[in-house]
Amino acid sequence: MAKSKTIKVDYLARVEGEGALYVRYDDGGVHDVKLKIFEPPRFFEGFMRGRDLREAPDITARICGICPIAYQMSAVYAMEDALGLTLPPELHALRRLIYCGEWIESHTLHIYMLHAPDFLGYPGAVAMAKDHPQIVQNGLRIKKAGNAIVGLLGGREVHPINVRVGGFYRVPNAAELQPLREQLLHARDMAIETVRWTASLPFPNFERAQSEQYEFVALSHADEYPMNRGSITSTRGLAIPVSAYESHFREEHIEYSSALHSTLIERGAYFVGPMARYNLNADRLSPLVRQLADEVGFPPFTANPFQSIVVRSLEVLFAFDEALRLIDNYRRPDVSYVPVAPCAGTGYGATEAPRGLLYHRYQIDDAGKIAAAKIVAPTSQNQKTIEDDLRLILPKFMHLPEKQLQARCEQAIRNYDPCISCSTHFLKLHLQRSERIGP
Amino acid sequence: MVQPARNLDGSNTKARLAVWKFTSCDGCQLSLLDCEDELLQLADCVEIAYFMEASSATSPGPYDLSLVEGSVTTADEVRRIHEIRAQSRILVTIGACATAGGIQALRNFSDVDDFIAAVYAHPEYIDTLKTSTPIGAHVPVDFELHGCPINKRQLLEVISAFLHQRPPQVPAHSVCIECKMRGNVCVWVAHGTPCLGPVTHAGCGAICPTYSRGCYGCYGPKENPNTVSLCHWWQQELGAEKALVIEYLRNFNAASPVFEAASRKLEGDDGQE
């Protein structure tokens, strides 16, 4: 009888938040996979009850230090939905611009500092910089340009202060955007190099069988590559308004794990994030991005999650192009915000965080206080797909020495850029801790 | 910028830096990775011995300087902070969670079971403390860097200062002073906008007033703030509802002793004051 082995990673590195991995397998197959989230709960949905709706962008930003804009954007659109507010297109364009900044800084952090070291065999970017200083320095410059957008429009990079329900506290004049434009143009050249570089990385060969194909889920919008508006669509024909999210998606407890998993009702696991956006919307990318994808031979549809690093690079380049387009077409809004008149209602908001679909629902009372809040973060939606990947990836790499096998598992998790401090919805797990890391 | 520093025991080896996470959003440790211009230089000057968000390579203590992010919300975190303190020559807390319990300290004003029931379908799986407490409530802390999030310039100053065994140059005055230094028009005086600037610790550069909004206190209380006067002015002169003042005091630094006392006093007031 085959001897059972376990892979145990007590503390996943180079992800945001705290997570662990437990895999039990033998020559007969993989018997148990648990992606464990032990980030302590922070109860955002609980303590938002009774707070003023206008506080939502400031409070929800604190869910995540890497993608605060995503939380602010989903929150403000949900609140405006509840209040029946319509924003002029100039304010919408500015929101898209600040979101471009977040995509650039967050994706670039992931590409260069969290994920690329896996491909090149380093424990982190600082170690990688000793052998590849130019690569890491380019990454830092690209990231800085993304942060410059968030810094200007948001006031600061982490937990920006300028986003409000109805618009912004202050909108920039065109002259303020010009120095930013110069910086973006310069960094865009490095983003082009990033695409070429990531496309040349050695990708493990991993494609799921036809019967096990992913269902990719992302926003889609007729006129634009999805960022902060659109309907929810999937590669298996789903096409619903954001308000119908909870009729189609469910969070559930899995018996062996106390972390909430999201599933598509009667369909199961699904996949959100850059690959889903790309696979559903590649035709709406800018000409420069499509041209570069062609140049490096990257197809408009990919089902190998290890290639997500290339998709992120293409999205970074897109975000530069889009930011430059928005700056060149910028017309200062007549008002910085549309006034808010509190009234009772329920509002829904979904935007594309760097890591994927981020859904918010709020119920507001007639005094403008939050009566109920529901927030579903991208990583919680991908948890089940991550576990399925590990189940399917392991048999293909079982010939590797155990240490390499473990590294491959961690790399497979980092494909998703899991952001597990977003603990609005994760449960504390009772872990059997081991003093030593590894099998 | 940070200069090469000797190990604090006087040896010539590089000083060893560790970054630790407790209950938090990761934003303050991210501020270190957001030092795009200085990160590689810093890595030349110190040995980054433990920083899980940035590297899967870790080396055991002792550490010369530990930066601690996040608040204490589980029994395991209580145990872990004592271990970290024992391994750290200098321990600096970074951010509102680590210095004042963070936004998750809102549970301290309520029954945590209510929050658990509001968020989780199976409360029996939840293992969390009734309170969220700052690191300083559990172990001695050498320096507290305020902010939600911290300011990365101040972070570099603090790292540099401790590695060179000098006090960090981090002013303890109010946001008002920073506002004046930026030449801002006072949003309170000119527009009647409620602002926590007079009682809030400097460090952000007075961003909110610069962007035409009132300070919402994310850096926590300054040294010796007059919260009684502030609450009076907000209510009497600006016409703010008591509930609004309490809401402003109870956000990212709700459990800092000064803001907590001020908000509890307001809550206890019967409106006769």
mmCIF file of all heavy atoms in Angstrom, chain A residues 109-138:
data_model
loop_
_atom_site.group_PDB
_atom_site.id
_atom_site.type_symbol
_atom_site.label_atom_id
_atom_site.label_comp_id
_atom_site.label_asym_id
_atom_site.label_seq_id
_atom_site.Cartn_x
_atom_site.Cartn_y
_atom_site.Cartn_z
ATOM 1 N N LEU A 109 3.251 45.070 -8.128
ATOM 2 C CA LEU A 109 3.722 44.462 -6.873
ATOM 3 C C LEU A 109 3.661 42.947 -6.996
ATOM 4 O O LEU A 109 4.607 42.238 -6.657
ATOM 5 C CB LEU A 109 2.837 44.931 -5.701
ATOM 6 C CG LEU A 109 3.093 44.234 -4.368
ATOM 7 C CD1 LEU A 109 4.335 44.800 -3.704
ATOM 8 C CD2 LEU A 109 1.908 44.375 -3.419
ATOM 9 N N HIS A 110 2.544 42.459 -7.493
ATOM 10 C CA HIS A 110 2.389 41.009 -7.597
ATOM 11 C C HIS A 110 3.388 40.419 -8.588
ATOM 12 O O HIS A 110 4.083 39.451 -8.292
ATOM 13 C CB HIS A 110 0.960 40.646 -7.991
ATOM 14 C CG HIS A 110 0.746 39.167 -8.076
ATOM 15 N ND1 HIS A 110 0.625 38.503 -9.261
ATOM 16 C CD2 HIS A 110 0.681 38.227 -7.113
ATOM 17 C CE1 HIS A 110 0.482 37.203 -9.015
ATOM 18 N NE2 HIS A 110 0.508 37.007 -7.734
ATOM 19 N N ILE A 111 3.457 41.040 -9.777
ATOM 20 C CA ILE A 111 4.321 40.492 -10.831
ATOM 21 C C ILE A 111 5.769 40.407 -10.355
ATOM 22 O O ILE A 111 6.404 39.358 -10.400
ATOM 23 C CB ILE A 111 4.243 41.371 -12.100
ATOM 24 C CG1 ILE A 111 2.855 41.278 -12.739
ATOM 25 C CG2 ILE A 111 5.337 40.977 -13.101
ATOM 26 C CD1 ILE A 111 2.587 42.352 -13.789
ATOM 27 N N TYR A 112 6.289 41.537 -9.874
ATOM 28 C CA TYR A 112 7.720 41.617 -9.589
ATOM 29 C C TYR A 112 8.112 41.120 -8.206
ATOM 30 O O TYR A 112 9.179 40.544 -8.035
ATOM 31 C CB TYR A 112 8.207 43.069 -9.755
ATOM 32 C CG TYR A 112 8.401 43.463 -11.193
ATOM 33 C CD1 TYR A 112 7.365 44.037 -11.923
ATOM 34 C CD2 TYR A 112 9.616 43.254 -11.835
ATOM 35 C CE1 TYR A 112 7.530 44.400 -13.254
ATOM 36 C CE2 TYR A 112 9.803 43.614 -13.158
ATOM 37 C CZ TYR A 112 8.757 44.184 -13.858
ATOM 38 O OH TYR A 112 8.932 44.537 -15.171
ATOM 39 N N MET A 113 7.268 41.379 -7.209
ATOM 40 C CA MET A 113 7.727 41.116 -5.850
ATOM 41 C C MET A 113 7.164 39.832 -5.266
ATOM 42 O O MET A 113 7.759 39.243 -4.368
ATOM 43 C CB MET A 113 7.384 42.312 -4.958
ATOM 44 C CG MET A 113 7.901 43.598 -5.577
ATOM 45 S SD MET A 113 7.704 45.029 -4.538
ATOM 46 C CE MET A 113 9.162 44.916 -3.555
ATOM 47 N N LEU A 114 5.999 39.402 -5.741
ATOM 48 C CA LEU A 114 5.391 38.227 -5.133
ATOM 49 C C LEU A 114 5.505 36.998 -6.027
ATOM 50 O O LEU A 114 5.725 35.896 -5.560
ATOM 51 C CB LEU A 114 3.917 38.508 -4.789
ATOM 52 C CG LEU A 114 3.641 39.796 -3.991
ATOM 53 C CD1 LEU A 114 2.162 39.923 -3.642
ATOM 54 C CD2 LEU A 114 4.467 39.847 -2.713
ATOM 55 N N HIS A 115 5.346 37.170 -7.342
ATOM 56 C CA HIS A 115 5.208 35.996 -8.196
ATOM 57 C C HIS A 115 6.465 35.667 -9.022
ATOM 58 O O HIS A 115 6.869 34.518 -9.097
ATOM 59 C CB HIS A 115 3.995 36.160 -9.118
ATOM 60 C CG HIS A 115 3.391 34.850 -9.509
ATOM 61 N ND1 HIS A 115 2.445 34.714 -10.485
ATOM 62 C CD2 HIS A 115 3.613 33.599 -9.049
ATOM 63 C CE1 HIS A 115 2.107 33.440 -10.606
ATOM 64 N NE2 HIS A 115 2.800 32.741 -9.744
ATOM 65 N N ALA A 116 7.074 36.676 -9.647
ATOM 66 C CA ALA A 116 8.234 36.398 -10.498
ATOM 67 C C ALA A 116 9.336 35.624 -9.772
ATOM 68 O O ALA A 116 9.961 34.736 -10.376
ATOM 69 C CB ALA A 116 8.792 37.692 -11.087
ATOM 70 N N PRO A 117 9.609 35.910 -8.484
ATOM 71 C CA PRO A 117 10.661 35.132 -7.811
ATOM 72 C C PRO A 117 10.427 33.617 -7.890
ATOM 73 O O PRO A 117 11.392 32.840 -7.915
ATOM 74 C CB PRO A 117 10.602 35.643 -6.358
ATOM 75 C CG PRO A 117 10.104 37.046 -6.479
ATOM 76 C CD PRO A 117 9.097 37.005 -7.603
ATOM 77 N N ASP A 118 9.167 33.183 -7.961
ATOM 78 C CA ASP A 118 8.881 31.751 -8.115
ATOM 79 C C ASP A 118 9.461 31.207 -9.414
ATOM 80 O O ASP A 118 10.005 30.101 -9.454
ATOM 81 C CB ASP A 118 7.359 31.508 -8.176
ATOM 82 C CG ASP A 118 6.723 31.495 -6.802
ATOM 83 O OD1 ASP A 118 7.412 31.139 -5.833
ATOM 84 O OD2 ASP A 118 5.526 31.826 -6.704
ATOM 85 N N PHE A 119 9.284 31.969 -10.482
ATOM 86 C CA PHE A 119 9.707 31.492 -11.798
ATOM 87 C C PHE A 119 11.234 31.439 -11.904
ATOM 88 O O PHE A 119 11.791 30.637 -12.618
ATOM 89 C CB PHE A 119 9.141 32.390 -12.903
ATOM 90 C CG PHE A 119 7.652 32.261 -13.080
ATOM 91 C CD1 PHE A 119 6.779 33.118 -12.425
ATOM 92 C CD2 PHE A 119 7.116 31.269 -13.894
ATOM 93 C CE1 PHE A 119 5.401 33.000 -12.582
ATOM 94 C CE2 PHE A 119 5.742 31.140 -14.060
ATOM 95 C CZ PHE A 119 4.882 32.004 -13.405
ATOM 96 N N LEU A 120 11.897 32.362 -11.205
ATOM 97 C CA LEU A 120 13.348 32.454 -11.331
ATOM 98 C C LEU A 120 14.084 31.810 -10.161
ATOM 99 O O LEU A 120 15.313 31.810 -10.121
ATOM 100 C CB LEU A 120 13.763 33.927 -11.471
ATOM 101 C CG LEU A 120 13.159 34.633 -12.694
ATOM 102 C CD1 LEU A 120 13.594 36.093 -12.726
ATOM 103 C CD2 LEU A 120 13.552 33.952 -13.994
ATOM 104 N N GLY A 121 13.331 31.290 -9.201
ATOM 105 C CA GLY A 121 13.960 30.545 -8.120
ATOM 106 C C GLY A 121 14.563 31.386 -7.003
ATOM 107 O O GLY A 121 15.610 31.060 -6.459
ATOM 108 N N TYR A 122 13.895 32.491 -6.656
ATOM 109 C CA TYR A 122 14.364 33.325 -5.545
ATOM 110 C C TYR A 122 13.306 33.378 -4.444
ATOM 111 O O TYR A 122 12.118 33.254 -4.728
ATOM 112 C CB TYR A 122 14.652 34.757 -6.018
ATOM 113 C CG TYR A 122 15.799 34.845 -6.987
ATOM 114 C CD1 TYR A 122 15.574 34.814 -8.357
ATOM 115 C CD2 TYR A 122 17.112 34.931 -6.522
ATOM 116 C CE1 TYR A 122 16.624 34.883 -9.250
ATOM 117 C CE2 TYR A 122 18.172 35.003 -7.408
ATOM 118 C CZ TYR A 122 17.921 34.976 -8.770
ATOM 119 O OH TYR A 122 18.966 35.039 -9.643
ATOM 120 N N PRO A 123 13.744 33.602 -3.198
ATOM 121 C CA PRO A 123 12.749 33.702 -2.124
ATOM 122 C C PRO A 123 11.977 35.025 -2.142
ATOM 123 O O PRO A 123 10.931 35.132 -1.515
ATOM 124 C CB PRO A 123 13.587 33.581 -0.845
ATOM 125 C CG PRO A 123 14.960 34.005 -1.234
ATOM 126 C CD PRO A 123 15.122 33.618 -2.684
ATOM 127 N N GLY A 124 12.474 36.032 -2.840
ATOM 128 C CA GLY A 124 11.783 37.319 -2.882
ATOM 129 C C GLY A 124 12.487 38.272 -3.820
ATOM 130 O O GLY A 124 13.542 37.955 -4.378
ATOM 131 N N ALA A 125 11.880 39.457 -3.990
ATOM 132 C CA ALA A 125 12.396 40.408 -4.971
ATOM 133 C C ALA A 125 13.760 40.973 -4.572
ATOM 134 O O ALA A 125 14.599 41.258 -5.427
ATOM 135 C CB ALA A 125 11.401 41.552 -5.157
ATOM 136 N N VAL A 126 13.977 41.139 -3.268
ATOM 137 C CA VAL A 126 15.249 41.715 -2.835
ATOM 138 C C VAL A 126 16.398 40.779 -3.191
ATOM 139 O O VAL A 126 17.442 41.211 -3.703
ATOM 140 C CB VAL A 126 15.205 42.024 -1.318
ATOM 141 C CG1 VAL A 126 16.597 42.324 -0.790
ATOM 142 C CG2 VAL A 126 14.275 43.212 -1.039
ATOM 143 N N ALA A 127 16.183 39.483 -2.978
ATOM 144 C CA ALA A 127 17.212 38.504 -3.360
ATOM 145 C C ALA A 127 17.357 38.470 -4.878
ATOM 146 O O ALA A 127 18.475 38.384 -5.408
ATOM 147 C CB ALA A 127 16.838 37.129 -2.823
ATOM 148 N N MET A 128 16.238 38.586 -5.578
ATOM 149 C CA MET A 128 16.265 38.560 -7.040
ATOM 150 C C MET A 128 17.037 39.761 -7.589
ATOM 151 O O MET A 128 17.707 39.674 -8.615
ATOM 152 C CB MET A 128 14.826 38.576 -7.562
ATOM 153 C CG MET A 128 14.652 38.207 -9.012
ATOM 154 S SD MET A 128 12.904 37.841 -9.364
ATOM 155 C CE MET A 128 12.285 39.487 -9.720
ATOM 156 N N ALA A 129 16.940 40.891 -6.867
ATOM 157 C CA ALA A 129 17.583 42.127 -7.335
ATOM 158 C C ALA A 129 19.102 42.008 -7.362
ATOM 159 O O ALA A 129 19.774 42.731 -8.101
ATOM 160 C CB ALA A 129 17.160 43.299 -6.451
ATOM 161 N N LYS A 130 19.651 41.111 -6.553
ATOM 162 C CA LYS A 130 21.122 40.958 -6.550
ATOM 163 C C LYS A 130 21.622 40.467 -7.907
ATOM 164 O O LYS A 130 22.666 40.886 -8.374
ATOM 165 C CB LYS A 130 21.529 39.996 -5.438
ATOM 166 C CG LYS A 130 21.285 40.592 -4.058
ATOM 167 C CD LYS A 130 22.103 39.887 -2.980
ATOM 168 C CE LYS A 130 22.104 40.661 -1.676
ATOM 169 N NZ LYS A 130 20.780 41.066 -1.206
ATOM 170 N N ASP A 131 20.841 39.568 -8.525
ATOM 171 C CA ASP A 131 21.239 39.049 -9.842
ATOM 172 C C ASP A 131 20.584 39.791 -10.999
ATOM 173 O O ASP A 131 21.087 39.782 -12.114
ATOM 174 C CB ASP A 131 20.881 37.553 -9.955
ATOM 175 C CG ASP A 131 21.609 36.721 -8.916
ATOM 176 O OD1 ASP A 131 22.711 37.145 -8.496
ATOM 177 O OD2 ASP A 131 21.074 35.678 -8.498
ATOM 178 N N HIS A 132 19.430 40.352 -10.751
ATOM 179 C CA HIS A 132 18.682 41.022 -11.823
ATOM 180 C C HIS A 132 18.284 42.436 -11.399
ATOM 181 O O HIS A 132 17.106 42.765 -11.333
ATOM 182 C CB HIS A 132 17.400 40.230 -12.153
ATOM 183 C CG HIS A 132 17.637 38.797 -12.520
ATOM 184 N ND1 HIS A 132 18.076 38.394 -13.752
ATOM 185 C CD2 HIS A 132 17.502 37.661 -11.788
ATOM 186 C CE1 HIS A 132 18.196 37.070 -13.781
ATOM 187 N NE2 HIS A 132 17.858 36.601 -12.599
ATOM 188 N N PRO A 133 19.280 43.279 -11.117
ATOM 189 C CA PRO A 133 18.937 44.604 -10.569
ATOM 190 C C PRO A 133 18.048 45.432 -11.495
ATOM 191 O O PRO A 133 17.119 46.095 -11.038
ATOM 192 C CB PRO A 133 20.305 45.268 -10.356
ATOM 193 C CG PRO A 133 21.268 44.490 -11.181
ATOM 194 C CD PRO A 133 20.732 43.104 -11.265
ATOM 195 N N GLN A 134 18.321 45.360 -12.807
ATOM 196 C CA GLN A 134 17.559 46.208 -13.725
ATOM 197 C C GLN A 134 16.088 45.807 -13.756
ATOM 198 O O GLN A 134 15.192 46.658 -13.788
ATOM 199 C CB GLN A 134 18.175 46.129 -15.135
ATOM 200 C CG GLN A 134 17.773 47.287 -16.031
ATOM 201 C CD GLN A 134 18.063 48.645 -15.390
ATOM 202 O OE1 GLN A 134 19.180 48.898 -14.949
ATOM 203 N NE2 GLN A 134 17.049 49.504 -15.305
ATOM 204 N N ILE A 135 15.837 44.506 -13.723
ATOM 205 C CA ILE A 135 14.452 44.021 -13.764
ATOM 206 C C ILE A 135 13.683 44.534 -12.552
ATOM 207 O O ILE A 135 12.587 45.081 -12.671
ATOM 208 C CB ILE A 135 14.432 42.479 -13.822
ATOM 209 C CG1 ILE A 135 14.892 42.012 -15.214
ATOM 210 C CG2 ILE A 135 13.041 41.926 -13.513
ATOM 211 C CD1 ILE A 135 14.957 40.510 -15.384
ATOM 212 N N VAL A 136 14.296 44.364 -11.375
ATOM 213 C CA VAL A 136 13.577 44.771 -10.155
ATOM 214 C C VAL A 136 13.414 46.292 -10.118
ATOM 215 O O VAL A 136 12.349 46.806 -9.744
ATOM 216 C CB VAL A 136 14.298 44.250 -8.892
ATOM 217 C CG1 VAL A 136 13.617 44.756 -7.633
ATOM 218 C CG2 VAL A 136 14.301 42.716 -8.891
ATOM 219 N N GLN A 137 14.445 47.011 -10.550
ATOM 220 C CA GLN A 137 14.316 48.480 -10.553
ATOM 221 C C GLN A 137 13.228 48.950 -11.513
ATOM 222 O O GLN A 137 12.483 49.883 -11.203
ATOM 223 C CB GLN A 137 15.654 49.122 -10.909
ATOM 224 C CG GLN A 137 16.523 49.304 -9.664
ATOM 225 C CD GLN A 137 17.966 49.577 -10.004
ATOM 226 O OE1 GLN A 137 18.269 49.979 -11.115
ATOM 227 N NE2 GLN A 137 18.847 49.367 -9.047
ATOM 228 N N ASN A 138 13.125 48.301 -12.666
ATOM 229 C CA ASN A 138 12.028 48.651 -13.582
ATOM 230 C C ASN A 138 10.686 48.414 -12.915
ATOM 231 O O ASN A 138 9.777 49.237 -13.023
ATOM 232 C CB ASN A 138 12.107 47.808 -14.862
ATOM 233 C CG ASN A 138 13.214 48.285 -15.786
ATOM 234 O OD1 ASN A 138 13.855 49.290 -15.519
ATOM 235 N ND2 ASN A 138 13.430 47.555 -16.859
#
